[in-house]
Amino acid sequence: MLRCLSRPTLRLWRLLASLATLWLALLAPAAAQSLESALSPGVLNQAHAKWQDDCASCHVRFDRAAQDRLCADCHKPIGQDLRHKSGFHGRQKPQACRSCHTDHKGREARIVQLDTQAFDHRETDWVLRQAHAKVECAKCHLPGKRWAEAPQDCNACHRKDDVHKGSLGAKCADCHTEKTWKEARFDHATTSFALKGKHADVACADCHPTSGKTVKYAGVPTTCVGCHKADDKHKGRYSEKCESCHGEKSWKTIDFNHDTETRYPLRGKHRAVRCDSCHTGTLYRDKTPSDCLACHRKDDKHQGSLGTECAACHQESDWKQTGRFDHDRARFPLLGKHADAKCEACHKPGPKGTPVYRDAPRTCIGCHRNDDKHAGNVGEACAACHGERSWKIPRFDHEVTRFALRGGHAAAKVKCSDCHQDLKHYRDTPRDCIGCHRKDDKHESQLGQKCESCHNDRRWKDAPYDHKLSRFPLLGAHVKVECSACHKTLRYRDAPRDCLGCHRADDRHKGAQGSACESCHNARHWTLAQFDHSRQTRYPLTGKHQPLTCEACHRAPAPAGRKTAPLGDSCQSCHRGDDVHDGGFGLRCETCHQTSGWRELLARRPTPPSPSPASGVPR
């Protein structure tokens, strides 16, 4: 019937329908529900049947776009895919849910219409490759489960094909590919035992035995002795570290360099000795000795009198072949006059009459105590001054002491006896300046005993001095002043530090402004005076007070410890002689007069007359 109506009439009907809908929406909820039920386009699917009479679960009045949000709130896995842009729904271009899923078509209607032939699996999280692309959908997507619940790990579908029975874990893709399940590839280098040398040619079954139908992969030994125990000719005496000598290229070829891989290189006749001649115990457990006596004790004709350093005289080429002892290889090489000394001069006979070698003294004082003219005052380090060429010709580097000789101290005219009293009192020599230069102190000890503060070892007289280190640093015009202008004598500390101490003759105030000259004057120049009366006092200068000199007000001398003499801050302090009222109007002149001119009066408002006592008004 609506098709027969004209457009204006049709619009009118639509407007009336909208008004009726709005009116019904304002009525009771029951009435509204009845209206919605009456306007429902059809019966919901069986999955949505419980919301048949609850339209608000999926629809919001006057907000058609809200339906997609309510769908995502209810179907949470799909809502998560949409938010993360993952899965099939998350990868689709944005569109309304109803464009693919429609309802209100009956209880048995299928909401999801999926064309399995045209479906592109690349839009999902699981792309079908190689053999997987030919598998039927029902093989992975089981009935009664959501399409997205299909498993994505190999074991879920191929568990029955796992001939390893789970012994290699669930990462089937490490060996198998999607091309064909039976074609396996495995890179042994990815394991903890890469196949190198002869191991690369060994068949898998040699290391991975088969138990029934299961091949053992996990738990296979990776140590040499795990497979080669029968090949161990040492019967375990050299431990299980076969790789120390044997290599992967050939078991029978021994690759061990005793010179580089141990701390005992084999030289001379040691190179031809069999391993078990020295390694008699269990290797790595029993430590093999590396000293000569461990093997040659029976060959020691000295019976231990020369110690255990057999190599000092004997050689590896032949034990019986000995040469002259090289004292330079000992801890006391013979230099200078020592080279001409006889062995028994230092190596005294022991209790059995055999010369003692190890117990011979190695210090100078051990042999030359009677030659020490210092009586032990300079210690026992005789080599600091004396040499092996001649004991009587001393050589001494004063730089190694706590008093290095520099400047005037290093002059040729300075003798050792000038500082050192005698040979027995070298260490007792004073190291401070005053110890030797007390007679040269012209300051009469007034500046203390740290002479090095001003003087140095290059020149004692005309010593430079940094006045910044004193309590009176030189600034401005003081920098160019001669020292004698302030320091009348060499008693430098007697010099005054206050301005009046030197500038009393320059004080044109004659003491009226006190002794704190620095309040106005500075070190750049005496005449450059500056004083801010407004900031530095409680009496700012205004009007005709500004051009006045300091002496115009401050006439009396300043008391001791004060900058100026006490001066009141009232007008009467200076203008008592100018008071034509003779004190009749009090001391507050500023209520009428002003600083711009004494005769210029301030404008004043008339004061209302006070009520008379007869009026009864309190005063």
Side-chain angles (χ1 to χ4, degrees), residues 468-506:
K468 294 178 182 178
L469 303 176
S470 69
R471 292 175 292 179
F472 192 89
L474 300 182
L475 305 173
H478 287 156
V479 176
K480 302 178 181 179
V481 177
E482 295 290 338
C483 300
S484 59
C486 299
H487 301 284
K488 303 301 181 183
T489 66
L490 291 178
R491 293 175 60 87
Y492 285 172
R493 288 187 182 273
D494 295 342
R497 295 196 304 274
D498 59 326
C499 300
L500 283 181
C502 294
H503 296 280
R504 189 174 297 278
D506 301 320

Side-chain angles (χ1 to χ4, degrees), residues 98 123 187 249 455 529 571 581:
R98 60 180 173 277
E123 296 181 355
D187 183 6
K249 295 181 180 179
H455 303 273
C571 301
H581 311 295

Side-chain angles (χ1 to χ4, degrees), residues 331-525:
R331 288 176 290 181
F332 192 89
L334 301 180
L335 305 174
K337 291 285 186 178
H338 288 155
D340 301 330
K342 296 182 178 181
C343 300
E344 57 269 17
C346 299
H347 301 285
K348 306 297 182 182
K352 296 182 180 181
T354 305
V356 178
Y357 288 91
R358 275 194 173 276
D359 296 338
R362 294 193 301 273
T363 61
C364 301
I365 203 70
C367 294
H368 298 278
R369 189 175 296 277
N370 295 331
D371 301 321
D372 183 15
K373 304 300 182 183
H374 311 291
N377 178 259
V378 293
E380 298 183 352
C382 307
C385 301
H386 301 276
E388 297 96 342
R389 289 181 296 175
S390 175
W391 179 263
K392 295 182 179 180
I393 302 178
R395 52 168 175 79
F396 182 68
D397 184 8
H398 224 283
E399 294 289 334
V400 301
T401 69
R402 291 176 290 179
F403 192 89
L405 299 181
R406 297 186 178 88
H409 290 152
K413 63 181 180 179
V414 178
K415 300 179 181 179
C416 300
S417 58
D418 292 343
C419 299
H420 302 288
Q421 178 182 354
D422 53 46
L423 293 177
K424 297 181 180 180
H425 296 86
Y426 275 11
R427 286 189 180 272
D428 302 334
T429 304
R431 295 192 304 275
D432 56 335
C433 302
I434 204 70
C436 293
H437 297 278
R438 188 176 298 277
K439 62 182 181 302
D440 302 320
D441 183 13
K442 305 299 182 182
H443 311 294
E444 301 177 11
S445 299
Q446 189 195 55
L447 300 183
Q449 298 185 0
K450 291 188 177 181
C451 310
E452 65 274 8
S453 300
C454 302
H455 303 273
N456 54 55
D457 48 16
R458 286 178 297 176
R459 56 181 183 179
W460 181 262
K461 298 180 180 180
D462 191 21
Y465 179 69
D466 186 2
H467 224 284
K468 294 178 182 178
L469 303 176
S470 69
R471 292 175 292 179
F472 192 89
L474 300 182
L475 305 173
H478 287 156
V479 176
K480 302 178 181 179
V481 177
E482 295 290 338
C483 300
S484 59
C486 299
H487 301 284
K488 303 301 181 183
T489 66
L490 291 178
R491 293 175 60 87
Y492 285 172
R493 288 187 182 273
D494 295 342
R497 295 196 304 274
D498 59 326
C499 300
L500 283 181
C502 294
H503 296 280
R504 189 174 297 278
D506 301 320
D507 182 17
R508 64 182 182 84
H509 308 297
K510 306 303 179 183
Q513 304 302 324
S515 60
C517 308
E518 65 274 7
S519 299
C520 301
H521 302 274
N522 56 63
R524 288 181 296 168
H525 199 278

Side-chain angles (χ1 to χ4, degrees), residues 67-86:
Q67 181 178 353
D68 294 338
R69 184 181 70 252
L70 294 174
C71 291
D73 291 344
C74 189
H75 299 278
K76 297 185 183 301
I78 295 177
Q80 185 176 1
D81 288 346
L82 292 174
R83 289 190 297 273
H84 297 165
K85 297 187 181 303
S86 61

Side-chain angles (χ1 to χ4, degrees), residues 198-258:
K198 289 287 186 178
H199 287 155
D201 302 331
V202 176
C204 302
D206 292 346
C207 299
H208 301 283
T210 302
S211 178
K213 295 183 178 180
T214 303
V215 180
K216 183 180 181 181
Y217 287 95
V220 174
T222 57
T223 60
C224 301
V225 76
C227 293
H228 297 278
K229 184 180 288 290
D231 303 321
D232 182 15
K233 304 299 182 182
H234 314 294
K235 307 302 180 182
R237 195 157 51 90
Y238 288 172
S239 80
E240 296 182 354
K241 294 183 178 181
C242 310
E243 65 275 9
S244 300
C245 300
H246 301 275
E248 296 157 325
K249 295 181 180 179
S250 174
W251 179 261
K252 295 182 178 181
T253 302
I254 299 177
D255 184 14
F256 184 76
N257 190 338
H258 212 283

